[in-house]
Every structure is written in C-alpha cells, then in structure tokens.
Amino acid sequence: MKSVLIGSGLAMVMFLWLNGINITPVFIAVALIFAVLYLMPGQGQMKLTNGGSSRDKSSNLNFDQIGGQDVAINELQEALQFVMQPEKIDHMGIRPLKGILLAGPPGTGKTLMARAAANFTSSAFMAASGSEFIEMYAGVGAKRIRQIFSSARKEAKRMNKKSAIIFIDELEVLAAKRGSNSSHMEYDQTLNQLLVEMDGLSQNKDPRILLIGATNRADLLDPAVLRPGRFDRQVQVDLPDRAGRAKILFIHTQNKPLDPDVDLDDISRATFGFSGAHLESLANEAAILAMREESPIIKQNHFREAIDKVMMGEKLDRQPSVSEMERISIHESGHALVCELLEYGSVASLTIVPRGKALGFMRRSPQDDQYLYTYKELEQQIMTMLAGALAEELRFGSRSSGARNDFQQAWNVAREMISSGLSSLGVVSDDSIPTDIIYKEGKRIIDSAENKVQAILDENKERLFELATCLSLQESIGRPSLEKILYQ
Ligand code: ATP
C-alpha cells in the first residue's frame, strides 16, 4: 500500500513537471508532512524501554543482586504472588492486585526491584518515566498511557508470557493531586486515562498486567491513585542500614580486584546516609583511583578517598593564597580539636585540599548508625560546627565568610532540638510557635554552645596552633599523626 502511494505520488510529480507546472510548493508540502510524521515522534509516541527482551542483560536481574532491602523485597514478593498464582486468587474470589507503589529516596533500588519483579514473575517488562507522559499538547499524555498498556499486552503475547509488568518511575509527575499544575487540563486528562486503564485491568486478564509505580514523593500523589483497587500496596524502599550497605558494596565489588585487606564492613560504617546509587558510585570511584595510581588492586585507602569524592566532589586544582591556607588550616583544626576533645577517637582525618565546594574538611571516624540523639549529643554537634569560626577568631582576631555553611547547619540542629521538645521551651507545636520565640531560643542554644567552645579553645590554644601549623605544612593529617600532635 505504502509503495503504491509513493509510486503514484512520484508519477503525479513527473506529470506536473513535464507539463511545465511549478512543483516547488508540492515539494515543500511533502517535506513538511514528512517532518511532522517522522521527525517529531514526541507527538503521540514515546520511547518505551523493554526490559524483557532476551538481549537485555538486566532482564536476568534477580532479588539477590539488590542489597539492603530485605524487608521491602519480602513485601514485594508477597504481593507478586497475586501475579504468580492467578487460579488460587480466582478460586478464593480475591480481587486481583493492580498496582504496587515503591516509595523512597532516590537511588535506593526501586527500578532494580521492578526489573527483578518482572524476572521473578516471568513477565514482560515495560518501563517509562512519569515525565515522558507530559507534553504541552492536549491529549498526548492520555494517548501515551493507552499506548504503554497496549504495548505491554503485545509484548507479553509476542514473548509468550502470561503477564506483563509496567514500571512507571517518577509517578508523582504523572499522578500529582489533580488541579495542582498550572496546565492542569492536560495533566488531569493523563491521570484520568491512567485510572481508566487501571480500572479496566480486571476485565482484560490475558495477559495479566501489573503496574509498579516508583516515587520519591508519595505525599504529592492524588488520593484517587492510592485508593483500594488502584495502587493497593505501598512498599517503603528506605536508605540501607549498615549491614545493607556492606551487602551493596559486596555486590558492586564482585567484578573488581580487591586487596584482601579491604574491609567492606569498615567502609559501610563510614557511609551512613549513602544510598545504593552512592555506594555503586563509591565502588566505581575507588576502582578509578586505583587505576590512576596504576595499582593492579583496589586498596582500603582508595575506598577512603572515594568516600570523600562521593560526599564532597572532585579534588580541585584551585590553590588558595598562603594567608587563606593559614585561615583554612586553623578553621579545620578548630573543628577537629573540639570534636576530638568532646569524644576521643571521633576524628579520622582533616585536610585543606579543596574538594567540590569545600576549601577543607574534617572527616569523622566510622560510627554505628544512629537515628536518635540526646540534647547533649546535639549540642556537641553544634559545638563542633562553631569551633571553626571561633578558632579563626582566636588566631586572627576575626572570622571569615568560610563559616557560613557551619552556622547554617548549627541553626538547623538548634531548630531540630526545639521541634523535638529538647529545648528549654519544652514540648512545642511547630505549626503554632511564633518565629521570634524560635529565634530567641535558637540563639540561646547557639550562644551557650559558643561559650563552651570558647573555653575549650582558650584552654587548648597551644595544641590548636600546633595542629594548624602541621596541617598547613602537610595539607592532610590522618589519625596516627593527629594522635601524635594532640596527645604526645
Ligand atoms: P530514583 O528514585 O532516582 O529513580 P531508584 O530508587 O529507582 O532511583 P535505581 O535506579 O534502582 O534507584 O538505582 C540506581 C543504581 O544504584 C542501580 O543501577 C544500582 O547500581 C545502584 N543501587 C541502588 N540501590 C541498590 C541496591 N539496593 N542494591 C544494589 N545496587 C543498588
């Protein structure tokens, strides 16, 4: 059919040309039609990732390759039984599950879990991101929703599978509370179409379709999406704990030559708050550092440096002036001295080599994961943060703008103390407490911490200055040198 049309078109053009008729407008019209049809696929078509093809390595992904998410994986596997045992479900008259929502911070493995779920249930897999459904043209998003459901059905049939999993990342973009977007008609139409398709899943069971949505902001989702019969199950995918981090590091170092002395458990202790994606990047950076040094194996110190790089960014060539270096040295020494005197062994290293946005920084020793803090512990955190600026003042008689971030963090901790009912205000309601009262109480906490830091620094002036001198000469100081300078 296509070739007949092309042939007739060409014959018509030849005919017009031989009869001396100007055919330029015809060419322009054909070029425009071609551009609209082929060069702008966004007009109604979307790029779908088919995770189920046999050429795709990730289709072999299984739950063992996901670390630190045992609870979430158990919950997900339990929900997946609905897809795997349809006869039992029908027999018991149970309403089939249509959607599972994976909620949690970025980089914790939600996409991995959806892919592993497809493999686990032997389903075809289609992936798309919420933002791919949203276009400025009305009706395009709804069309794309219909398209992904029909593609999933076709793909399952083509692969001879009984079920298909559709994974939609960034679900909050597509399924935010209705009326919350400025061009809300298009957003609302898209979301309505998703709800219509989900409602239709119970009638059309061949193949069975399960939707897995992922979001970092479950609070933004429209309540209609979460109601029973839609995304019935919510699985929380949180940041991994210490054992989870060690498992993820293990997974991502399997293909890397490690020094037998590398202690992944120690690295996992030093990476509280890292997501799976951070840990993958950490293992990768450690390997790059080893390669740069032409070391055939990756050593513990490569991992240590990679932690700094993942947290703070790449080392910079920028060289501060001599006077700035002296100021940065005393500033970092102030942080380190106070932190160490408040808790012996708490400082791992300090450096004045600029990295990312930081001109220098102090690294704390690996600690056990901690989720609760007492007043004293929070106050000590504030004291360590303030110590940089106070050390500068003690040495040079003035502070600098380098302490801005420290002060911001100190205020955040003070605010946390007030909200948690730990301050002298007692139990407060965040919503109704006047800002001037918060300010006064925050200031009182900071001033009291400042006085304590001042006393520590005055009493240990010699040690502080010696540490700063060594730091400006050596640029970086590790734990053994720190012990010598402070305690011998
Ligand atoms: P986002 O919310 O930003 O889409 P996500 O939660 O979907 O993130 P993934 O895309 O699954 O995160 O993870 C990104 C990468 O991080 C993975 O390809 C993998 O290398 C690594 N990763 C994340 N979490 C884990 C984990 N739990 N176990 C092993 N690797 C992980």
Side-chain angles (χ1 to χ4, degrees):
M1 179 66 182
K2 212 177 181 179
S3 44
V4 172
L5 280 175
I6 292 172
S8 327
L10 280 175
M12 174 74 86
V13 169
M14 287 293 282
F15 174 77
L16 293 172
W17 183 58
L18 288 173
N19 283 288
I21 296 171
N22 181 7
I23 54 169
T24 318
V26 178
F27 269 124
I28 294 174
V30 169
L32 277 174
I33 292 170
F34 176 83
V36 169
L37 287 181
Y38 294 95
L39 301 183
M40 294 173 69
Q43 296 290 308
Q45 289 182 13
M46 68 187 304
K47 227 175 91 232
L48 296 172
T49 318
N50 172 1
S53 109
S54 53
R55 276 166 281 127
D56 188 348
K57 256 171 64 191
S58 62
S59 63
N60 298 325
L61 187 95
N62 59 49
F63 287 119
D64 292 342
Q65 288 153 272
I66 305 174
Q69 296 297 353
D70 295 351
V71 177
I73 290 174
N74 276 346
E75 273 184 57
L76 181 61
Q77 282 183 340
E78 199 181 282
L80 291 173
Q81 296 306 322
F82 279 83
V83 182
M84 296 163 78
Q85 306 184 343
E87 290 80 18
K88 249 190 183 171
I89 301 291
D90 275 354
H91 175 71
M92 299 302 286
I94 297 173
R95 169 170 48 75
L97 187 74
K98 294 177 191 166
I100 300 175
L101 182 68
L102 304 178
T108 42
K110 297 182 288 298
T111 309
L112 293 182
M113 285 174 68
R115 286 188 177 276
N119 193 25
F120 183 71
T121 54
S122 184
S123 303
F125 183 70
M126 285 279 154
S129 166
S131 51
E132 289 171 46
F133 292 91
I134 302 301
E135 277 280 350
M136 54 192 278
Y137 309 102
V140 173
K143 185 173 174 188
R144 288 179 179 173
I145 294 280
R146 285 193 294 276
Q147 188 193 345
I148 195 170
F149 276 82
S150 91
S151 301
R153 286 197 177 92
K154 278 190 205 142
E155 188 62 14
K157 285 199 175 134
R158 189 185 69 76
M159 294 172 72
N160 229 353
K161 306 260 186 195
K162 292 205 170 83
S163 53
I165 287 185
I166 299 176
F167 173 63
I168 303 183
D169 204 357
E170 299 179 7
L171 188 68
E172 73 280 3
V173 178
L174 150 70
K177 291 187 178 100
R178 276 173 283 194
S180 57
N181 284 297
S182 48
S183 58
H184 62 88
M185 285 310 282
E186 164 59 359
Y187 280 82
D188 294 356
Q189 264 188 28
T190 310
L191 173 54
N192 287 342
Q193 187 62 42
L194 178 73
L195 301 180
V196 168
E197 293 286 345
M198 287 188 87
D199 291 344
L201 290 180
S202 29
Q203 274 90 53
N204 196 344
K205 289 188 188 163
D206 184 28
R208 289 180 309 281
I209 298 215
L210 177 72
L211 219 65
I212 298 187
T215 182
N216 311 138
R217 295 291 311 270
D219 55 313
L220 295 183
L221 295 177
D222 194 286
V225 175
L226 300 175
R227 81 147 168 76
R230 305 258 172 80
F231 281 95
D232 284 274
R233 294 287 169 107
Q234 274 203 42
V235 175
Q236 193 61 34
V237 188
D238 280 324
L239 289 172
D241 61 10
R242 191 175 131 198
R245 294 195 297 277
K247 171 88 192 292
I248 297 173
L249 283 167
F250 175 76
I251 292 170
H252 290 292
T253 47
Q254 283 290 282
N255 60 349
K256 297 182 172 61
L258 292 194
D259 182 347
D261 288 343
V262 166
D263 183 353
L264 293 182
D265 202 41
D266 185 57
I267 299 161
S268 73
R269 288 183 73 209
T271 47
F272 179 68
F274 274 40
S275 67
H278 281 126
L279 295 165
E280 189 272 338
S281 168
L282 167 65
N284 200 44
E285 290 300 337
I288 293 173
L289 290 170
M291 198 177 74
R292 267 193 211 156
E293 284 180 13
E294 304 202 350
S295 163
I297 47 173
I298 310 170
K299 300 187 185 146
Q300 189 80 358
N301 64 315
H302 296 130
F303 280 99
R304 288 240 157 270
E305 193 170 342
I307 296 177
D308 293 345
K309 186 164 171 200
V310 172
M311 280 204 294
M312 321 279 301
E314 183 68 91
K315 268 187 195 164
L316 303 178
D317 289 336
R318 192 178 58 210
Q319 190 68 16
S321 66
V322 175
S323 64
E324 275 181 331
M325 293 266 266
E326 280 175 5
R327 197 175 265 282
I328 301 165
S329 300
I330 195 86
H331 183 104
E332 295 309 324
S333 302
H335 285 312
L337 181 77
V338 170
C339 186
E340 179 67 23
L341 294 183
L342 289 173
E343 187 188 349
Y344 172 76
S346 57
V347 179
S349 64
L350 57 162
T351 178
I352 53 166
V353 177
R355 196 184 264 285
K357 286 188 183 154
L359 292 170
F361 60 95
M362 173 201 95
R363 183 145 49 77
R364 296 181 71 105
S365 302
Q367 291 167 306
D368 289 337
D369 292 2
Q370 190 170 354
Y371 302 96
L372 297 173
Y373 296 89
T374 60
Y375 182 93
K376 191 174 161 208
E377 286 165 331
L378 292 173
E379 190 189 38
Q380 291 187 346
Q381 285 184 14
I382 296 179
M383 287 169 71
T384 302
M385 288 161 195
L386 300 178
L390 291 181
E392 281 183 51
E393 198 163 34
L394 189 64
R395 177 77 183 75
F396 299 112
S398 64
R399 300 179 182 186
S400 71
S401 58
R404 187 174 164 210
N405 194 31
D406 296 336
F407 291 156
Q408 188 58 49
Q409 285 185 21
W411 262 103
N412 291 345
V413 177
R415 186 75 183 76
E416 174 78 24
M417 288 161 97
I418 297 171
S419 298
S420 312
L422 296 176
S423 75
S424 63
L425 296 175
V427 178
V428 293
S429 152
D430 263 344
D431 298 330
S432 51
I433 181 167
T435 41
D436 58 325
I437 295 199
I438 296 181
Y439 176 78
K440 271 190 203 142
E441 181 60 10
K443 182 103 183 65
R444 192 197 61 75
I445 293 172
I446 302 265
D447 286 350
S448 142
E450 208 172 318
N451 291 337
K452 290 182 185 173
V453 175
Q454 195 69 64
I456 295 177
L457 292 179
D458 285 342
E459 214 173 289
N460 296 278
K461 206 168 161 179
E462 306 308 322
R463 288 206 271 186
L464 173 71
F465 291 173
E466 195 188 339
L467 183 58
T469 310
C470 293
L471 183 58
S472 62
L473 289 175
Q474 295 171 24
E475 295 192 353
S476 295
I477 291 181
R479 181 77 212 165
S481 314
L482 186 77
E483 290 257 351
K484 260 192 217 149
I485 299 166
L486 293 187
Y487 302 113
Q488 284 174 16

